Amino acid sequence: MTDVAPGEDTDGEDFAALVPVFVEHAACALDDPRRAELRDRLVVAYLPVARNIARRFSRRGEPTDDLEQVATVGLMHAVDRFDPGRERDFLSYAVPTIMGEVRRYFRDSAWSVRTPRSIKDRYLAVGGATAALSQRLGRAPTVPEIAEHLGLGRDEVAEAVAAHGSYHPASLDETLGEGDDSSLANILGTVDPEFDRVEVRSLVGSLVASLPPRERLMLALRFVHEQTQAEIAEVLCISQMHVSRLLTRTLAALRAQVEAEDRADGGDGPPLAV
């Protein structure tokens, strides 16, 4: 069940010698201080098993320290739940428990992008099938071969393979060639020059929404539809001079409100430009 040989790196304790410790641990009440001491002794003795299992999963891209912590949690669960009166061998009980804990970690916690559980399970199954088929065939298996091996449709396998991008998305700092300009961030795009004005534009939008209908229409005609003051005057059935005065007064009021909000927030953001 495990590659760890009995007695390997167990601080001098042989696994067979721990059987009485399991019996005593199981006989202790949950609140007995002795039970905690025995539990710690058993966990420390079997830590090499947990570390060995963690190393089996180390090629999947997660830090080894994190995997060893998860495997140790699985080991502690195994020690707590093991019944020496029913189970003949602790390792035969502990190894599946520890591996199950590590697999749950990959399924539920190690994904950078939220992904449906069914796809996570298929992704892990495809990974295992790929390793098994590669060893058997002496080459990387095709999607149809993986699908046949798992009893899945080709689209399901392709979807699981594509999920790798959700598990480990490429970093924007990753370089695709030589030179400082070959990172994904430089290739995919640059910082939007309007990014710093997002808050101001949001504030202006809320202030404009509070204006009377005529002023809102006038601003839309002038700055969205780019009509002249004469054209706006014709639409509103007022004089061009009246349009000019209304525009000046409305824009001044908006600018004053934006600057007042900015001062209230203690900021020194970009000035309002309309």
Side-chain angles (χ1 to χ4, degrees):
M1 294 293 292
T2 176
D3 293 339
V4 179
E8 178 185 343
D9 188 23
T10 57
D11 295 331
E13 292 202 76
D14 181 67
F15 287 161
L18 295 172
V19 173
V21 182
F22 276 110
V23 174
E24 186 179 357
H25 175 266
C28 291
L30 294 178
D31 58 350
D32 189 338
R34 178 62 177 162
R35 179 182 175 89
E37 295 176 7
L38 295 171
R39 178 181 187 258
D40 291 344
R41 177 180 171 185
L42 292 169
V43 170
V44 170
Y46 283 93
L47 270 179
V49 177
R51 290 170 180 157
N52 181 274
I53 292 174
R55 285 195 293 270
R56 293 184 181 184
F57 293 87
S58 62
R59 295 182 180 179
R60 298 190 180 185
E62 291 299 310
T64 302
D65 289 346
D66 290 353
L67 295 178
E68 289 185 355
Q69 289 182 13
V70 174
T72 302
V73 171
L75 171 61
M76 291 189 291
H77 290 329
V79 170
D80 289 338
R81 300 167 186 169
F82 179 67
D83 184 354
R86 299 177 57 184
E87 304 287 347
R88 292 180 302 174
D89 179 20
F90 176 70
L91 283 180
S92 64
Y93 176 81
V95 170
T97 302
I98 298 171
M99 294 187 71
E101 193 72 27
V102 176
R103 288 193 176 104
R104 276 192 295 273
Y105 169 77
F106 278 100
R107 185 190 66 199
D108 301 332
S109 305
W111 292 75
S112 302
V113 179
R114 187 175 180 85
T115 306
R117 180 171 175 175
S118 60
I119 297 179
K120 293 179 181 179
D121 291 339
R122 260 185 279 142
Y123 173 80
L124 295 178
V126 167
T130 300
L133 290 173
S134 295
Q135 186 174 7
R136 184 198 307 172
L137 301 173
R139 58 173 174 78
T142 63
V143 169
E145 290 170 339
I146 297 174
E148 182 179 358
H149 180 79
L150 295 174
L152 297 174
R154 296 185 182 184
D155 292 342
E156 292 177 309
V157 173
E159 185 180 42
V161 172
H164 179 76
S166 298
Y167 182 66
H168 277 301
S171 170
L172 291 178
D173 295 327
E174 180 180 347
T175 56
L176 303 180
E178 298 181 357
D180 297 334
D181 297 331
S182 61
S183 68
L184 280 174
N186 291 329
I187 293 174
L188 294 178
T190 58
V191 176
D192 190 334
E194 296 295 316
F195 183 77
D196 292 335
R197 305 184 63 85
V198 170
E199 292 185 4
V200 171
R201 292 184 182 278
S202 176
L203 175 60
V204 170
S206 64
L207 294 177
V208 170
S210 67
L211 291 174
R214 185 175 66 171
E215 278 76 357
R216 289 205 306 271
L217 175 59
M218 181 178 59
L219 291 177
L221 292 173
R222 179 68 184 90
F223 297 106
V224 177
H225 301 285
E226 299 183 345
Q227 292 189 4
T228 65
Q229 291 186 6
E231 292 171 330
I232 296 172
E234 184 177 352
V235 172
L236 299 180
C237 298
I238 58 178
S239 67
Q240 180 178 343
M241 184 64 68
H242 195 181
V243 170
S244 177
R245 286 198 299 267
L246 285 176
L247 277 174
T248 301
R249 185 179 67 189
T250 302
L251 293 177
L254 288 175
R255 183 177 292 105
Q257 288 179 282
V258 169
E259 292 173 351
E261 290 284 347
D262 188 53
R263 286 194 299 270
D265 292 338
D268 56 350
L272 173 64
V274 291

